[in-house]
C-alpha cells in the first residue's frame, strides 16, 4: 500500500484538483478519564474557569475549523457543519466527546472530526487540571466516515480500541 502523503520518499500534499466535490462526513470520539477529585470539581462547578464541558465543546468546534493549520498536509476545507457533544459519564468516571464534521469537498473530513475530539479533550484536561493532574485522555478514534471514492467506513465492534 502506498501512503498518499509521500512522493519519492518526501512529504507531499495530495493533489485533489481532479476529484469531484462530494458530500462527506466523519464522526470521531475521545474520552477523558477523571480522578475522584476532578469528578467532584466538575460536578460542583468548582473549577473557577467556567463550565469545562461547554468550553470544551466550543474548543472542539474551533479546532475543527483550524485543522489545516495544525496538521501539515491537510487541505483547508469549507466545513458545512461541525457538531461536538461533550457529556459526563459519571458511572464510568469519564467525559465522552463525540464530534461530527461535514463538508462538500474533494477530500474527507476525518482529520477535522479527530482534531475536534483531541482539542476538546485537551480543553477538559486544562479546565480540570487544578483539581487533579491525573486525568487521562484516551481512545481518540474515528467511528465513521462516508463519502468520496472510498465510500463508507464504520468501526466494527471488536476492532482495536473498541
Amino acid at each position: 500500500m502506498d501512503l498518499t502523503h509521500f512522493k519519492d520518499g518526501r512529504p507531499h500534499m495530495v493533489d485533489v484538483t481532479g476529484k469531484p466535490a462530494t458530500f462527506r462526513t466523519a464522526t470521531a470520539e475521545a474520552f477523558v478519564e477523571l480522578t475522584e477529585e476532578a469528578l467532584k470539581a466538575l460536578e460542583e462547578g468548582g473549577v473557577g474557569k467556567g463550565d469545562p464541558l461547554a468550553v470544551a465543546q466550543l474548543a472542539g468546534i474551533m479546532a475543527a475549523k483550524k485543522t489545516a493549520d495544525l496538521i501539515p498536509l491537510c487541505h483547508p476545507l469549507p466545513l458545512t457543519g461541525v457538531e461536538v457533544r461533550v457529556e459526563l459519564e459519571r458511572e464510568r468516571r469519564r467525559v465522552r466527546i463525540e464530534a461530527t464534521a461535514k463538508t462538500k469537498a474533494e477530500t474527507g473530513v476525518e482529520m477535522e472530526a479527530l482534531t475536534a475530539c483531541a482539542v476538546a479533550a485537551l480543553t477538559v484536561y486544562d479546565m480540570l487540571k487544578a483539581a487533579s493532574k491525573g486525568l487521562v485522555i484516551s481512545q481518540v478514534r474515528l467511528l465513521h466516515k462516508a463519502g468520496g471514492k472510498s465510500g463508507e467506513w464504520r468501526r466494527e465492534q471488536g476492532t482495536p480500541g473498541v
Side-chain angles (χ1 to χ4, degrees):
M1 171 188 276
D2 290 331
L3 297 176
T4 58
H5 285 86
F6 287 94
K7 189 174 191 176
D8 300 324
R10 306 289 302 160
H12 159 73
M13 186 171 183
V14 176
D15 184 355
V16 297
T17 305
K19 293 175 74 177
T22 60
F23 175 73
R24 297 157 185 268
T25 184
T27 300
E29 74 178 347
F31 296 93
V32 181
E33 299 168 27
L34 305 172
T35 63
E36 282 297 328
E37 299 84 8
L39 177 62
K40 183 178 178 185
L42 181 60
E43 291 182 324
E44 294 176 358
V47 296
K49 295 180 179 182
D51 177 1
L53 303 187
V55 174
Q57 180 183 23
L58 183 56
I61 293 167
M62 293 173 65
K65 294 171 19 176
K66 293 291 189 178
T67 299
D69 293 333
L70 300 169
I71 310 297
L73 300 176
C74 279
H75 293 84
L77 295 178
L79 294 175
T80 59
V82 177
E83 183 179 346
V84 177
R85 290 168 299 287
V86 183
E87 63 182 331
L88 173 62
E89 294 181 344
R90 193 199 189 305
E91 67 286 347
R92 298 182 85 169
R93 211 172 72 200
R94 68 183 187 182
V95 172
R96 180 177 184 270
I97 300 155
E98 182 178 293
T100 299
K102 297 176 183 179
T103 191
K104 185 174 182 184
E106 298 81 7
T107 190
V109 287
E110 297 95 271
M111 294 308 300
E112 286 71 13
L114 287 161
T115 299
C117 285
V119 171
L122 287 166
T123 301
V124 170
Y125 187 99
D126 180 52
M127 298 287 288
L128 294 175
K129 70 181 183 230
S132 174
K133 306 285 191 278
L135 307 176
V136 175
I137 295 170
S138 66
Q139 298 186 48
V140 179
R141 60 194 183 167
L142 185 66
L143 297 177
H144 175 257
K145 63 86 54 190
K149 185 173 76 172
S150 63
E152 188 166 5
W153 178 88
R154 187 174 305 277
R155 180 170 296 284
E156 300 289 331
Q157 289 292 350
T159 57
V162 175

